[in-house]
Amino acid sequence: LKSVITTTQVKIGHIGQNFPNNNEINCGAKERGKVQSVNNIIFLLLLGRIAAEDLKHRRIPNFLVICLFLWGICSRGMPGEWNSSVKGALLAGGSMLIFYIVFRRGIGAGDVKLLTVVGFYVGCEKIWELLFLIFLMAAVWGILCKKEVPLAICVFLGVGCRMLGLI
């Protein structure tokens, strides 16, 4: 038990998240893993709601993106762990902003904001892998369906596959 309490970080088997031990000193690794799994499920449910809005109305409401961001902040743990989150947000948001400027009709501002928040939650360790997966799904969907793809659906599927360990 003492070795669990003195451990500074516990690696959780999902999208490269680290859960700091400082938050829950009285809990073991198993309990922290359960807490992080619940955080991931809630994040995925919010992301699913955003994907449904994008599919139905072809818009991503700012209110839902803000809720997702606030949940990401609350579930990231201590502020010392935010270094990776901020880098992930800058990498994802910055690269999507370039796509938004260059391909004005290919990606919307809501998609840029959504991927920035996802980058914050995922962190910089796995963001390029996740972005590749998301755009691969969007490309395959676009080729097969021969129409515009709501990117939030691909974000939801990509993040879900990574969280479940399917890819």
Side-chain angles (χ1 to χ4, degrees), residues 94-113:
S95 58
M96 292 306 104
L97 186 60
I98 292 170
F99 276 110
Y100 177 71
I101 292 169
V102 173
F103 305 106
R104 195 73 171 155
R105 295 192 42 95
I107 187 170
D111 296 323
V112 174
K113 291 180 271 190

Side-chain angles (χ1 to χ4, degrees), residues 14-16 88 91-92 95-96 115 118-119 122-137 154-155 157-159 161-163 165-167:
H14 71 288
I15 321 179
L91 289 172
S95 58
M96 292 306 104
L115 285 166
V118 168
V122 171
C124 67
E125 294 85 13
K126 299 283 184 177
I127 192 61
W128 292 120
E129 180 182 308
L130 185 61
L131 287 175
F132 176 77
L133 177 64
I134 289 167
F135 282 103
L136 180 65
M137 286 180 175
C154 297
V155 173
L157 293 173
V159 171
C161 287
R162 285 296 297 145
M163 283 184 180
L166 299 176
I167 296 176

Side-chain angles (χ1 to χ4, degrees), residues 1-10 21 24-29 32:
L1 179 64
K2 186 170 180 138
S3 67
V4 172
I5 292 174
T6 58
T7 305
T8 57
Q9 291 183 335
V10 177
N21 195 21
E24 301 180 33
I25 291 182
N26 296 326
C27 292
R32 280 191 302 281

